[in-house]
Amino acid sequence: MANLVILTADELKALHPLERQVSRRAARQQPLVRLILQTFLEQGGPIPLEYVIAASPPDAHADALHDALVALDEEDVIRVRAGQVDIAYPFAAAPTPFRVRRSGGRDRYACCATDALGIAPMIGEPVEIASSCHHCGESLKFGATPHRVGLDAGTVMVWFGKRGDEGCKAFDSLWTTINFFRSEDHLRAWRDANPSAEGAGATVDEAFKVGHWIFGGLLTAEGT
């Protein structure tokens, strides 16, 4: 039977893979990144680079903005493909296993379980998160507010897996390394079936704290 370590949010934040989130948090507070995140929130993606440049302040030079977007891609804050931003953490333009529904039925997709949990605190409004158990495939659906997950989250757990290559970009592995599980029993069963997987588990409440730490307030007055 494989060993399963359950960590708190503070313990998870102390892990090396999360240290980079400190610098990324600072990058996401840049006006250019906030513009991209706000556009993903309101319109979805992908977002053409021409749109980002046109929506930027009139005194911003197009060449400088293009260079800044390239740098943000290299720093793994956004992903640019075919002249469009198709990922701006926590958002993904293409459907993923992590759907987040805003009021009025507006759906957005997140890059992983933590990103899904971080959207409510990022935008300052309640959302509904829909995913599935990474072990049994059963559908999971629960609410989250800017301050906590809903009681309907019940026994949900999150697995924080270690990427095989810490030098790779996050989007290369987030879909498979940070996932929801129906319960601790299901997480343990998956862990037993995957003894070589490196990482740790957390309750959904502790995982929410990590999401809040990464994204909280970025698109609200709190983050300005």
Side-chain angles (χ1 to χ4, degrees):
M1 180 176 295
N3 182 45
L4 174 63
V5 177
I6 306 294
L7 299 180
T8 66
D10 287 340
E11 290 169 331
L12 285 164
K13 288 187 289 186
L15 296 176
H16 176 71
L18 291 177
E19 289 176 358
R20 288 183 292 182
Q21 296 297 349
V22 176
S23 60
R24 288 176 185 161
R25 169 80 191 197
R28 292 186 183 103
Q29 291 173 321
Q30 299 176 33
L32 180 59
V33 180
R34 289 169 62 89
L35 168 63
I36 294 169
L37 291 174
Q38 190 69 47
T39 304
F40 257 102
L41 179 65
E42 298 300 334
Q43 303 178 22
I47 306 169
L49 297 187
E50 292 82 359
Y51 177 92
V52 177
I53 292 171
S56 296
D59 59 344
H61 195 280
D63 288 343
L65 287 170
H66 185 272
D67 290 345
L69 290 165
V70 170
L72 289 169
D73 176 87
E74 292 174 348
E75 294 164 8
D76 200 19
V77 176
I78 63 173
R79 183 174 75 173
V80 177
R81 278 191 172 177
Q84 301 182 105
V85 180
D86 68 342
I87 288 177
Y89 307 104
F91 297 116
T96 72
F98 311 97
R99 191 195 74 204
V100 178
R101 176 164 291 178
R102 300 176 65 196
S103 60
R106 296 167 291 175
D107 289 345
R108 296 293 178 264
Y109 290 95
C111 295
C112 67
T114 313
D115 286 7
L117 292 167
I119 289 179
M122 182 180 77
I123 65 177
E125 65 182 58
V127 301
E128 178 187 79
I129 296 171
S131 188
S132 60
C133 175
H134 195 58
H135 173 61
C136 71
E138 178 179 319
S139 296
L140 301 173
K141 187 180 293 185
F142 57 91
T145 74
H147 308 292
R148 63 186 62 84
V149 293
L151 294 176
D152 52 346
T155 60
V156 169
M157 300 286 290
V158 176
W159 170 258
F160 288 81
K162 181 179 179 180
R163 300 202 301 271
D165 179 4
E166 292 301 338
C168 73
K169 293 188 176 181
F171 60 73
D172 292 329
S173 60
L174 280 179
W175 285 269
T176 57
T177 55
I178 305 181
N179 284 284
F180 290 114
F181 289 81
R182 177 183 174 185
S183 65
E184 184 175 332
D185 286 344
H186 279 232
L187 175 54
R188 289 188 180 279
W190 175 86
R191 184 77 178 89
D192 288 342
N194 297 271
S196 62
E198 296 184 64
T203 66
V204 71
D205 295 293
E206 293 299 306
F208 176 86
K209 294 176 185 177
V210 175
H212 191 293
W213 174 65
I214 296 171
F215 299 107
L218 283 173
L219 295 183
T220 67
E222 174 191 340
T224 59

